[in-house]
C-alpha cells in the first residue's frame, strides 16, 4: 500500500521525482547531458554571476529564452530543460527585453554508450571506430572514421594527451577546425580536414629518438543536427600505428630495378630501418587498380636494408611490387608500389626490326 501511495505522489509531484542527469562542460558554452531514457531535468542559468544579476533593474525577470531560435514561454534568469529519451538538446539563448543576446548554451544529449552506437560505424577494414596511423616517428598522426549513412555529423570536441599528462585543457579557434590541448608536460595540436572524416594531430614535445613510454590517448566527440553526441576514444603508441608511405621504384636497366625509402620516413635510416617485401608478377594486369593484390606472384622475398635497394628481376616477370614496414616492431605494411616492366614488349619490337632488315637484304 505504501508503494502505491508513493507512486501516486510521484505522478502528481513529477518535478520532485525527476532525477538530475549527470553532465559535463566540454567548452564554456557546450554542455553534454547524459540520459538513460528516464524523465529528467537540466537547469540553465543565463547570468552566472549573482552580482551581475543584482545590478539589473528587473533582477532578471524580463529575460526571455529561445530554443533553436524559437521563443519559449519561460522567463527569468533560470531555465529548465525537460529531458525525455534523447530529446532536449539544442541551442538555448537568453535575451534582454529588447531582444539583444545575453548568453547561450549548446546542450548535447549523450545516450548510454554501452548500447549500440548511432553516429559512427565500424568498417570491414577497421576493428574499431577510429582508425589511426602515422607516417613516421616525428610525433604526427591521423585518425579517420566512417559516418553512419543516415547520420552524418560533425566534430564538436577533440581531446589529445599522453596518459601521464593528468589534467589537460583543450580549446578551439574561431573556425572550429583547429584544436589545442595543453598540460603541464606537453601540447597537442589537432585539425579537422575539409571532409570532416578525419583529423591530423601533432605531439609537439615528442622526441623520436627517445623511448615512447606513455601511450597517446585521443577522444573525438561528434554530434548530429539533432544535438545527439557520442565520443569515441583510442589509445596507442606511435610504434603500433606507424605505416610508411609508398616506396619509390625506378628502373636501372633491362634486368634491374631500385627503390628508395619514402621521403616522409624518419631518419637516419640506420636508426629507423625498414623491412621490404618484393613480389614479382607474371602479368601486368593493365586494367587492375593495383596489380599487386589482383595477380598471382612468381615469388615473394623479404629484404632488410638501410639504404637504396637494387634488385634483379626474373625474366618472366612483367610487374614488380614493393612495400615496406618498420623493421623493429610489428606494425602495418605500407601500400604496395608497383613498376610495370616493358622489356618484353621492347624485345618483341627489336625482333621485328631485325626481321625487317633481313628481309630487305
Amino acid at each position: 500500500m505504501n508503494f502505491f501511495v508513493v507512486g501516486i505522489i510521484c505522478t502528481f509531484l513529477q518535478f520532485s521525482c525527476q532525477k538530475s542527469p549527470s553532465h559535463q562542460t566540454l567548452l564554456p558554452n557546450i554542455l553534454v547531458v547524459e540520459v538513460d531514457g528516464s524523465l529528467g531535468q537540466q537547469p540553465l542559468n543565463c547570468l552566472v554571476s549573482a552580482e551581475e544579476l543584482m545590478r539589473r533593474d528587473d533582477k532578471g525577470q524580463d529575460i526571455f529564452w529561445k530554443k533553436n531560435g524559437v521563443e519559449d514561454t519561460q522567463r527569468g534568469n533560470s531555465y529548465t530543460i525537460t529531458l525525455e529519451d534523447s530529446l532536449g538538446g539544442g541551442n538555448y539563448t537568453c535575451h534582454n527585453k529588447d531582444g539583444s543576446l545575453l548568453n547561450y548554451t549548446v546542450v548535447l544529449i549523450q545516450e548510454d554508450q554501452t548500447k549500440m552506437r548511432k553516429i559512427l560505424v565500424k568498417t570491414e577494414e577497421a576493428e574499431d571506430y577510429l582508425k589511426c596511423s602515422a607516417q613516421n616517428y616525428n610525433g604526427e598522426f591521423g585518425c579517420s572514421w566512417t559516418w553512419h549513412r543516415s547520420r552524418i555529423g560533425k566534430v564538436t570536441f577533440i581531446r589529445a594527451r599522453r596518459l601521464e599528462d593528468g589534467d589537460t585543457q583543450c580549446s578551439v579557434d574561431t573556425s572550429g577546425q583547429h584544436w589545442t590541448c595543453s598540460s603541464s608536460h606537453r601540447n597537442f595540436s589537432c585539425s579537422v580536414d575539409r571532409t570532416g572524416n578525419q583529423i591530423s594531430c601533432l605531439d609537439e614535445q615528442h622526441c623520436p629518438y627517445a623511448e615512447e613510454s606513455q601511450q597517446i590517448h585521443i577522444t573525438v566527440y561528434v554530434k548530429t543536427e539533432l544535438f545527439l553526441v557520442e565520443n569515441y576514444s583510442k589509445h596507442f603508441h606511435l610504434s603500433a600505428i606507424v605505416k610508411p608511405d609508398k616506396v619509390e621504384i625506378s628502373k636501372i636497366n633491362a634486368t634491374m630495378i631500385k627503390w628508395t625509402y619514402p621521403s616522409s620516413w624518419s631518419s637516419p635510416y640506420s636508426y629507423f630501418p625498414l623491412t621490404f617485401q618484393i613480389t614479382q608478377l607474371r602479368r601486368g594486369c593493365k586494367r587492375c587498380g593495383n596489380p599487386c593484390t589482383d595477380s598471382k606472384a612468381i615469388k615473394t622475398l623479404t629484404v632488410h636494408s638501410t639504404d637504396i635497394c637494387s634488385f634483379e628481376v626474373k625474366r618472366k616477370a612483367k610487374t614488380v611490387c614493393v612495400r615496406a614496414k618498420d623493421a623493429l616492431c610489428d606494425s602495418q605494411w605500407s601500400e604496395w608500389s608497383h613498376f610495370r616492366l616493358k622489356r618484353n614488349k621492347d624485345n618483341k619490337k627489336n625482333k621485328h626490326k631485325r626481321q625487317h632488315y633481313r628481309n630487305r637484304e
Side-chain angles (χ1 to χ4, degrees):
M1 183 66 180
N2 290 337
F3 291 107
F4 179 71
V5 173
V6 171
I8 294 177
I9 294 174
C10 284
T11 300
F12 287 97
L13 302 179
Q14 190 177 37
F15 291 106
S16 63
C17 292
Q18 290 173 358
K19 63 179 182 179
S20 229
S22 59
H23 61 272
Q24 61 172 317
T25 301
L26 291 184
L27 292 171
N29 295 91
I30 299 181
L31 185 70
V32 174
V33 180
E34 298 179 11
V35 299
D36 59 5
S38 60
L39 196 63
Q41 292 180 329
Q42 177 63 48
L44 298 179
N45 286 324
C46 180
L47 303 175
V48 179
S49 169
E51 295 179 359
E52 187 178 3
L53 182 62
M54 294 305 297
R55 283 197 300 267
R56 293 176 60 93
D57 294 336
D58 63 357
K59 299 299 184 287
Q61 296 302 312
D62 291 333
I63 293 175
F64 69 91
W65 292 78
K66 292 182 179 181
K67 177 184 177 181
N68 300 329
V70 179
E71 187 173 340
D72 196 275
T73 57
Q74 293 191 49
R75 294 291 187 271
N77 187 59
S78 298
Y79 183 94
T80 301
I81 301 174
T82 300
L83 303 170
E84 186 173 2
D85 294 328
S86 59
L87 304 177
N91 183 18
Y92 293 85
T93 57
C94 55
H95 305 260
N96 281 312
K97 189 175 182 179
D98 61 4
S100 58
L101 179 67
L102 284 171
N103 202 353
Y104 76 95
T105 302
V106 177
V107 177
L108 303 176
I109 302 300
Q110 180 171 287
E111 297 177 331
D112 185 358
Q113 295 206 148
T114 60
K115 299 178 181 178
M116 184 177 66
R117 302 294 185 93
K118 296 182 177 180
I119 302 179
L120 301 186
V121 296
K122 294 181 181 180
T123 62
E124 294 181 0
E125 299 81 11
E127 297 179 355
D128 206 345
Y129 292 99
L130 299 182
K131 182 181 180 181
C132 301
S133 63
Q135 296 176 331
N136 50 48
Y137 286 102
N138 296 342
E140 298 179 58
F141 63 93
C143 296
S144 60
W145 53 83
T146 301
W147 297 105
H148 190 284
R149 63 180 180 272
S150 62
R151 290 187 177 87
I152 295 178
K154 60 182 292 188
V155 174
T156 192
F157 189 78
I158 298 172
R159 179 179 287 115
R161 63 186 180 93
R162 294 279 182 177
L163 294 183
E164 66 179 355
D165 292 345
D167 186 33
T168 301
Q169 300 297 322
C170 299
S171 59
V172 64
D173 69 357
T174 54
S175 71
Q177 302 297 305
H178 305 289
W179 297 77
T180 301
C181 293
S182 302
S183 69
S184 59
H185 295 86
R186 69 184 70 241
N187 295 318
F188 277 87
S189 59
C190 295
S191 297
V192 183
D193 79 340
R194 293 181 179 179
T195 66
N197 297 337
Q198 61 183 17
I199 58 173
S200 56
C201 298
L202 171 65
D203 179 355
E204 297 177 3
Q205 278 68 46
H206 176 69
C207 177
Y209 308 104
E211 182 181 357
E212 190 182 18
S213 59
Q214 294 292 327
Q215 290 184 319
I216 293 172
H217 192 271
I218 184 83
T219 301
V220 180
Y221 286 76
V222 293
K223 73 179 185 72
T224 66
E225 294 179 351
L226 299 177
F227 297 94
L228 180 69
V229 67
E230 292 175 352
N231 68 77
Y232 300 84
S233 297
K234 196 174 183 69
H235 52 271
F236 49 81
H237 291 101
L238 290 177
S239 59
I241 66 167
V242 70
K243 180 180 179 179
D245 280 338
K246 296 171 68 172
V247 302
E248 300 177 9
I249 309 175
S250 58
K251 184 178 179 179
I252 298 177
N253 54 43
T255 60
M256 298 288 291
I257 63 164
K258 67 177 182 180
W259 64 86
T260 60
Y261 271 60
S263 58
S264 60
W265 186 247
S266 302
S267 61
Y269 300 151
S270 57
Y271 194 84
F272 301 99
L274 290 176
T275 293
F276 300 94
Q277 193 174 67
I278 308 99
T279 297
Q280 302 177 72
L281 308 177
R282 293 180 184 273
R283 298 179 180 179
C285 190
K286 293 181 179 180
R287 296 181 180 179
C288 299
N290 189 341
C292 306
T293 58
D294 297 333
S295 302
K296 294 183 179 180
I298 299 175
K299 192 173 184 180
T300 299
L301 300 173
T302 301
V303 175
H304 304 276
S305 176
T306 58
D307 203 347
I308 296 175
C309 304
S310 57
F311 182 77
E312 184 174 3
V313 182
K314 289 185 175 294
R315 186 177 62 180
K316 295 181 180 180
K318 292 188 176 181
T319 301
V320 179
C321 302
V322 182
R323 63 179 180 175
K325 64 175 291 185
D326 189 333
L328 303 180
C329 65
D330 185 20
S331 57
Q332 302 178 72
W333 285 100
S334 71
E335 299 299 323
W336 286 103
S337 298
H338 66 274
F339 188 86
R340 300 182 191 276
L341 300 165
K342 299 180 180 180
R343 62 184 183 184
N344 293 337
K345 188 175 180 180
D346 294 338
N347 290 339
K348 188 175 181 179
K349 287 183 178 179
N350 293 334
K351 182 179 180 181
H352 285 305
K353 287 181 180 179
R354 287 193 296 269
Q355 186 65 39
H356 176 71
Y357 288 123
R358 288 174 182 171
N359 292 339
R360 290 181 60 183
E361 294 173 355

